Structures are given as structure tokens and as C-alpha cells.
Amino acid sequence: MQSVAKLGRSLAAALALSVIAAAPSAAGAVDGAVRAVVSSGESARVIMQFTTAAERDDAFNRLLDRGAAVRAVDTEAGPGLVVFGSASTFAPEIGRARHVSLDAGVRVLGATPARDTSARRSNGIGQAPATIAPSRNGIAVAIVDSGIAPHADLPLSRIRAYKDFVNGGRLPVDHCGHGPHVAGIVAGNGAMSNGLYAGIAPAADIVALRVLGDDCTGNTSDVIDALEWIARNHVAYKIKVVNLSLGHGVLESIFTDPLVQAVERLSRKGIAIVTAAGNRGQDPANDDPPGYGGVGVPCNAPSAICVGSLDTQGTPQISDDRVSDSSSRGPTRFDLLAKPDLVAPGVNIVSLAARGSRLFNEFPHLRVAGARGPDYFTLSGTSMASPAVAGAAALLLRDNRGLSVHALKIALQFTARLLPQTDVLAQGAGALNITGARTLADAINPNVPLGANWIRHRLTAQNQDAAGNTIAWSRRIIYGDRFVQPRFAEMRLFRWSDDLVWAYDVLAGQIDWANQSGDNIVWGNDDNIVWGNDDNIVWGNDDNIVWGNDDNIVWGN
């Protein structure tokens, strides 16, 4: 066995308490992907961050003179540029920039089912009545994806806002077909199926932000723009949860990755960011056992709620549940954090169809009948697991509006159901247990003094699910690269506050519990997470998973 402490890593010791990268990077710092592009002389899209607007503006003009396509951006992290051009056009500016990252291509993290889809069950909890009336005063869930197509289960009246970061369109559209499926898992009301295919939180409204094009792919810079838009508008639209069922491979540390940084900034505003772990658990070219280290960006963000895929085998029994082979495992590249945080159903999930979209047209055998024809569609992957947790998060925040983002994560992890003979890097804290999570969240009193017990009444660490199964809670809290002792789930600690990065002190190597009132967690010998029975973290020659070039999703053969 090998603990994370023995794996060794070098992380910035000067980490600020409330931000991952408090100190600016050294001038000219670049990720490995940018160095490879410069070395090859190829063209690429890059994100350049600058210390001052004047430096950014001067670089803007020089890049234009060299023939590059340039877009200026202003984020909470400071001024920047998104540049597209040959390496010769942007390489001279690298030394003047604070940091340069590849504007990596992002793609959806859903795939077509790998087995027969004749046996299906609802992805919701029970059967939601088709007449359910959402409250316009309730919270909204932002879906950052390929867009939205109004549907009888999710009509235009429940789309609180729409913003297109791909081509600036004003009308809600989705030519890919992924966004409506994701949104339906969160908040579809099951109108066309008599509640059978209702989402997890059918009373929630949606804010749809389009960052993926007709081919279901997009750019990191557009995702960052969408998160910055949420940062400016979350109060107006009552956005408390964001779902990101997209991503790319890890190219640099969390301390410099611009998308991770954007997620962390938004999390510190009290917004839960739920992300898909990715589908790189198994080499699509063979049937080898799942590999480790495939969790992507932005699931590697410490404060994000990273969700892997659970295969329920299409049965109500829980004894046959297992983590999908395709679901990406931890640890995270470079930083070696334990991810995912938990798993949720992600195989053969039926949700909203976008008629005329790419997925709808290319895979007619995945269409599912509703009251008006093929109203639904079946997809699999962590893209489908993530919105199940996002919907659960919406329910928890509706039950207890005072929950911090980190208290929400504790409720989801602590009540999760452990899968037997499954390691923590595959299942995280376990399988989503909505009933248990709501029970714990409702019992938390966030207004007690720091160090005090914040559980209002005695709880039994188990519950019955909708199918009558008895669910024993995992009593796990995964904190960076280790477990927190279960008793600290009962306490209001300053570490559970919104304005801190999750596991900030673990990342900085500065754990000092004794000086904090009521916060003196002592890590036992068994608190560090063990990386699998054979320590078989599979890194390729370039510290990448050995299969696939770029999070390639196989849409079915």
C-alpha cells in the first residue's frame, strides 16, 4: 500500500487561504501543451494572462500586426487574450505574459449506450406529476453545455435565461442534442411520460449557456466566459448550482489551469459547481481492466463536485451496482488529488430528445417514445451522472438555503452508499443517496458558532431509498488527498466556508489544526487515501492516460 504522502509532489507553499493561485506565475510560464506547439511550429489557440491591462493591450496590437486572430478578455483573474495563430505569431509574447495555457478543445462527456437499451428505468426519484408548477422565486441551475431546445417537459417558461457564447444567437437552440438531455436529468418534469422520465429536481428552473457547437465540441475560453457571466449574473437569476458535463484532459496543475481557476472563483461565491469526471476509465480499443488517472478538467478543481458514472444494470436492486468501466478514475494528473467525489447513475439514462439535432439524427435507435412521438433519448456517460448530482444539489439547497458549497459536498459524500470491492479512486465517497443527503442537509444549522455541533437532532447513518433498500451511509469526507474523520461532519468548521478552496491547507502542505478553536482534526495513520491494491496508476509517456489523444468519445459503432 502506498499513501499519497509517499507519492511525493511539489506544491506551492505560499498558497493563500481563500484562493488556489494567490501569487502570479512567473513571466513566461506556459503549460506543456503550449511548449509542444511552439516546438512544432504548429498553429493553436492559446489563453494569455497578463498582470496589467496596458501589457495586455500592447500585446494585442503586436499580435494583430503578426497576423494572429485576437480577442481581449477581462476576467476576475485579470486581463487576458485569446489568441489563434501560428506558433511564430504568439511565441514572442510568451515572455511578456504572466501565464500562457492552451485554449484546449472541450467536448461532451456523454456516449451512446454500450449494451441493449430495452430495459430502462426513470432517472428521477419516483414519478413527478406532469402538472408540477415551478416557483419563479426558487433557485436556478445553470447548464453550461451545447444549448437548450424547449421541450414539453422543460418549456421556454422555465428557461430563466439563455446566452450563446458560440455565435451570439439570441434564441435557444441546440444542434448537438446534448444540452437538453443534461437539462432534463436535472429538471425535466416528465410531462410527456406521465412522470416516468422526470428529472431529479422538476421544480427547478434552468439557465442555459451555450458553449459547444453543432459538433458537440467547443473551446475552454468560451467555458470560462460562461462562468464569468454566471459570476456577474448569479444573483439576478438566483443561480446556485452549475453543471459542467464537458471537459478536456489535464494539461497543467490546478494552480495555473485557467478553467480550474474560474471554477474555484465561482465556487467561492457560494455556487455549487458539479462536473463530469470523464469517460477515460477504460481503453476503448480493448477490454483491459480500467486504468487510473483519467479524471479531466474541470473535475480536478478541488472545490468542484466531481461525479463518476454508476452502472445500475437497469435493475432496482443495489447488489449489482458497480462503477462503469468507462468512468474516469483518479488521482488527478500533476496534483494527485482523490477524485471523483462520488458516483451517480450514468448508463442508459433516458432524458429529453432534441429533435433534428446531431445525436437525434445519427442514432435513431436511441430514441424513446413519449406522448407525442420520440420525445426522449438514451445516452450514457459521466455527462449523465453529473446532472443527477446537480439536481440533487438543487433539492438540498431548496431544503436548506443556508448551506455552504462545502457543507453541500459533505452532505453528498457523507451519505453516499459504498460499493463493495471498489476503491476510492473509482467511486469516491460512494453512490449518490438523495434521500440520505437531504436528511443530513436538512439537519444542518449553519448559524451555530464556529467549532459547535451544527446537527439539529440525532441522526441514524442509514435510510431507505425509493425502492425500499436500506442504505448505510459511507460516513466519508474526501478532503484533497485524504479522509476527514467522520465526527467532523457534525461540526461547523471554518474549512467548510464558501470563501475557502476545498482542502486548501492540504494542497499547501500547511495543515495546522491545533490552533483553530474547535477545528483540531488529527489525521490518524489510516486517514491517507490508498491508491488501489496494486498502486497501478497508469500514466503514459507524457503523464497522460495511455489511450486516446484528446478525451475522444466514441459515439457508437
Side-chain angles (χ1 to χ4, degrees):
M1 294 193 302
Q2 183 178 25
S3 72
V4 173
K6 295 178 182 176
L7 287 175
R9 61 183 170 193
S10 176
L11 297 177
L15 184 67
L17 296 186
S18 61
V19 62
I20 287 186
S25 306
V30 298
D31 68 27
V34 174
R35 286 194 295 270
V37 168
V38 171
S39 177
S40 68
E42 298 176 352
S43 295
R45 290 176 61 100
V46 297
I47 299 171
M48 291 186 161
Q49 301 176 59
F50 295 86
T51 303
T52 68
E55 292 173 340
R56 185 270 312 274
D57 295 343
D58 289 343
F60 181 95
N61 292 326
R62 289 190 296 268
L63 286 160
L64 284 180
D65 290 341
R66 297 191 197 102
V70 192
R71 177 168 66 90
V73 294
D74 288 289
T75 72
E76 290 187 343
L81 295 173
V82 178
V83 183
F84 176 71
S86 65
S88 62
T89 63
F90 62 76
E93 301 302 325
I94 289 177
R96 300 182 178 99
R98 176 163 54 89
H99 190 80
V100 182
S101 303
L102 193 69
D103 188 9
V106 296
R107 61 183 66 239
V108 300
L109 298 177
T112 59
R115 64 170 186 268
D116 178 59
T117 59
S118 58
R120 301 185 177 97
R121 62 172 175 156
S122 172
N123 55 14
I125 43 176
Q127 291 193 356
T131 57
I132 192 164
S135 170
R136 300 297 292 185
N137 293 321
I139 67 171
V141 178
I143 307 295
V144 182
D145 212 284
S146 57
I148 193 75
H151 188 284
D153 287 19
L154 191 58
L156 192 61
S157 62
R158 292 184 53 210
I159 301 172
R160 198 169 288 183
Y162 173 78
K163 180 75 173 177
D164 189 337
F165 293 90
V166 177
N167 57 25
R170 301 186 64 179
L171 296 178
V173 296
D174 191 317
H175 300 303
C176 161
H178 188 263
H181 196 278
V182 169
I185 295 171
V186 174
N189 66 14
M192 292 294 99
S193 62
N194 195 28
L196 179 61
Y197 300 128
I200 301 295
D205 283 353
I206 293 297
V207 170
L209 304 177
R210 184 177 184 233
V211 298
L212 303 176
D214 298 357
D215 63 351
C216 305
T217 68
N219 299 305
T220 292
S221 56
D222 290 331
V223 180
I224 294 173
D225 286 347
L227 297 181
E228 290 283 328
W229 184 92
I230 294 171
R232 296 190 300 271
N233 295 281
H234 68 98
V235 174
Y237 294 109
K238 298 184 175 65
I239 300 170
K240 292 293 292 180
V241 182
V242 176
N243 185 82
L244 292 163
S245 289
L246 48 77
H248 66 76
V250 180
L251 302 174
E252 56 187 307
S253 168
I254 58 174
F255 291 88
T256 56
D257 187 285
L259 183 51
V260 170
Q261 295 290 305
V263 166
E264 290 296 337
R265 291 194 300 271
L266 198 55
S267 176
R268 292 198 303 277
K269 296 181 184 295
I271 300 170
I273 317 295
V274 186
T275 60
N279 302 324
R280 304 182 75 189
Q282 188 173 42
D283 186 344
N286 56 54
D287 294 325
D288 289 344
Y292 289 81
V295 166
V297 179
C299 226
N300 62 333
S303 301
I305 301 171
C306 178
V307 186
S309 173
L310 177 73
D311 187 351
T312 66
Q313 311 294 321
T315 70
Q317 292 80 27
I318 61 176
S319 58
D320 59 358
D321 290 0
R322 63 184 181 88
V323 177
S324 308
D325 287 343
S326 62
S327 184
S328 290
R329 273 75 167 163
T332 63
R333 186 186 178 196
F334 298 122
D335 307 294
L336 301 180
L337 302 182
K339 293 281 184 170
D341 292 296
L342 73 165
V343 295
V347 177
N348 293 354
I349 303 300
V350 180
S351 186
L352 310 188
R355 300 193 190 195
S357 67
R358 175 187 173 182
L359 297 181
F360 186 87
N361 291 336
E362 290 188 7
F363 303 102
H365 62 289
L366 299 180
R367 299 171 188 172
V368 179
R372 299 177 184 173
D375 295 310
Y376 301 98
F377 202 75
T378 303
L379 286 174
S380 296
T382 58
S383 267
M384 288 59 253
S386 177
V389 174
L395 293 178
L396 267 61
L397 291 170
R398 185 189 67 182
D399 294 343
N400 188 342
R401 293 176 180 265
L403 286 182
S404 68
V405 168
H406 296 338
L408 173 68
K409 179 182 279 196
I410 289 170
L412 291 167
Q413 288 191 352
F414 196 83
T415 62
R417 168 173 55 89
L418 286 177
L419 303 174
Q421 299 180 327
T422 306
D423 65 74
V424 66
L425 294 179
Q427 68 172 319
L432 174 66
N433 173 17
I434 295 178
T435 302
R438 295 184 73 176
T439 298
L440 178 55
D442 186 60
I444 291 174
N445 178 5
N447 299 316
V448 301
L450 284 173
N453 187 315
W454 64 358
I455 303 299
R456 292 187 173 98
H457 49 78
R458 184 177 178 83
L459 294 173
T460 301
Q462 66 178 38
N463 62 269
Q464 297 255 310
D465 68 6
N469 299 301
T470 298
I471 308 299
W473 297 0
S474 72
R475 302 177 71 241
R476 277 185 176 176
I477 303 174
I478 300 172
Y479 191 73
D481 63 5
R482 62 196 67 201
F483 294 118
V484 173
Q485 293 178 7
R487 64 191 178 92
F488 291 100
E490 303 175 1
M491 300 175 64
R492 184 188 171 212
L493 307 181
F494 84 97
R495 284 166 176 80
W496 310 150
S497 301
D498 279 336
D499 57 352
L500 298 174
V501 173
W502 181 262
Y504 72 90
D505 42 359
V506 171
L507 296 170
Q510 294 179 336
I511 300 177
D512 182 8
W513 306 97
N515 295 329
Q516 308 298 330
S517 175
D519 214 5
N520 55 339
I521 294 178
V522 177
W523 302 113
N525 292 331
D526 296 327
D527 282 333
N528 286 335
I529 290 173
V530 176
W531 302 116
N533 294 330
D534 298 320
D535 296 325
N536 56 340
I537 301 172
V538 184
W539 306 110
N541 292 331
D542 297 318
D543 286 341
N544 276 321
I545 298 300
V546 294
W547 50 85
N549 294 324
D550 183 30
D551 276 353
N552 292 317
I553 302 300
V554 180
W555 294 108
N557 296 316

